[in-house]
Amino acid sequence: MSTLHAPILDWYAAHQRDLPWRRPEASPWSVMVSEFMLQQTPVARVLGPHEAWLTRWPTPAALAAEPTGEAVRAWGRLGYPRRALRLHAAATAIVERHDGEVPAAYEDLVALPGVGDYTASAIASFAFGRRHVVLDTNVRRVLARAVSGVEFPTTAPTRAERDLATGLLPDEAPVAAEWAVAVMELGALVCTAKSPDCGACPVRDQCAWLLAGRPAYDGPPRRGQAWDGTDRQCRGRLMAVLREAHGPVHVSSLVAAWPDHVQRERCLASLLADQLMVQVGDETYALP
DNA sequence: GACTCGTGGGG
DNA sequence: TCCCCAAGAGT
């Protein structure tokens, strides 16, 4: 084990957040729901919807028994509502393939809708204590700084990066699982993207980036996310109208939400194709 | 590999 | 205010 492990594991024991999906009584399903919601959405905004979700649908079977539109509505304003559809589809697959129990094996998990390498590893590790490299944006940033000495990781994980993370993974599964969540938490709370709190970092005396004087990022420009006037904004507006309505809505409501005809029609078509909404009449639309 | 896909909070 | 971005996945 490198000298990174003990300090980070000790730091985690002392500073970890008390999150619902981390409690001993949390079910694998609770962990899975949290991982879907946390894909690109901050913890603070996930807490409320996660609790409501687990109360309403305590099991995959409970969710699978409902129309997908109910999942989309309960998703609320977490963003990227296709995740709600995928979570519903994953719950359905769990009922069909795994007798309603969230599978523990990576291969079974990654075969589920909406579950990629990160989410499969996270569920296997956090919910079942299995040994997996959990390579999320936090972990990648911590390793980039502490080991590689650069401020930010590359756009996509490289082979070398994965090898590095694999090499750091403790041998014993329970320790590996604790290590995975500890490094992630360090990235989320201390080694943050914007203004890292290096003074509070348990590995500040061995961080390559800090020892180098925190050199400025020197890679390709990281492009920001355009928003104003984009299809994503348009889709979001249209979906908000349907979420907030209790039944089918007339096109006039959608026109009011997004006046531009061409873009509205394009987004409407894409939302129908995504099955995030359905047409229920000549001029009325609803959640599926 | 580059793009797309929502939302709202903090610096 | 404006910009950055937060536990990714699918195409």
Side-chain angles (χ1 to χ4, degrees):
Chain A
M1 299 228 292
S2 81
T3 49
L4 289 174
H5 294 82
I8 290 179
L9 288 169
D10 289 346
W11 173 88
Y12 181 69
H15 299 282
Q16 62 175 284
R17 289 170 292 182
D18 174 29
L19 301 174
W21 46 86
R22 280 186 188 162
R23 290 172 190 157
E25 67 272 20
S27 65
W29 173 239
S30 173
V31 173
M32 179 170 165
V33 171
S34 79
E35 291 304 337
F36 269 74
M37 291 183 169
L38 288 166
Q39 292 169 0
Q40 301 288 283
T41 302
V43 167
R45 294 224 322 274
V46 163
L47 290 171
H50 177 270
E51 181 177 10
W53 194 283
L54 267 293
T55 298
R56 181 170 177 184
W57 299 305
T59 64
L63 175 61
E66 297 246 22
T68 57
E70 289 304 304
V72 173
R73 191 188 303 281
W75 197 256
R77 301 191 297 194
L78 286 175
Y80 293 147
R82 293 188 296 186
R83 290 182 293 165
L85 247 31
R86 291 176 184 145
L87 180 52
H88 185 282
T92 301
I94 288 172
V95 170
E96 292 174 351
R97 305 174 198 164
H98 305 290
D99 198 26
E101 300 293 329
V102 176
Y106 175 93
E107 293 304 329
D108 289 332
L109 288 165
V110 81
L112 297 172
V115 178
D117 172 69
Y118 163 76
T119 301
S121 301
I123 296 171
S125 182
F126 304 157
F128 297 103
R130 300 213 170 184
R131 183 175 182 273
H132 285 282
V133 171
V134 181
L135 211 53
D136 82 319
T137 185
N138 288 306
V139 175
R140 297 188 63 219
R141 190 173 54 248
V142 170
L143 297 184
R145 290 174 182 169
V147 180
S148 306
V150 297
E151 186 176 15
F152 297 115
T154 56
T155 303
T158 62
R159 177 54 191 269
E161 193 178 349
R162 182 162 289 281
D163 290 344
L164 169 63
T166 301
L168 288 172
L169 197 62
D171 292 331
E172 300 294 327
V175 184
E178 192 77 353
W179 164 252
V181 72
V183 180
M184 192 177 305
E185 188 78 335
L186 184 63
L189 298 182
V190 175
C191 193
T192 56
K194 278 188 188 171
S195 49
D197 186 5
C198 296
C201 182
V203 292
R204 61 183 175 279
D205 60 341
Q206 52 185 307
C207 174
W209 181 59
L210 184 57
L211 292 176
R214 294 175 56 154
Y217 176 70
D218 183 27
R222 302 183 299 157
R223 25 183 315 180
Q225 311 166 11
W227 176 246
D228 207 47
T230 61
D231 281 4
R232 283 157 75 192
Q233 183 184 34
C234 178
R235 284 166 56 104
R237 292 271 178 83
L238 299 179
M239 285 304 297
V241 172
L242 290 209
R243 271 201 313 270
E244 289 154 18
H246 285 285
V249 303
H250 191 262
V251 270
S252 57
S253 299
L254 301 179
V255 172
W258 199 269
D260 184 85
H261 180 269
V262 172
Q263 190 174 25
R264 184 183 62 253
E265 289 303 315
R266 180 172 69 243
C267 290
L268 203 48
S270 74
L271 289 169
L272 290 168
D274 287 345
Q275 302 187 60
L276 278 167
M277 65 170 67
V278 294
Q279 186 164 6
V280 296
D282 279 355
E283 298 186 319
T284 54
Y285 298 84
L287 293 180

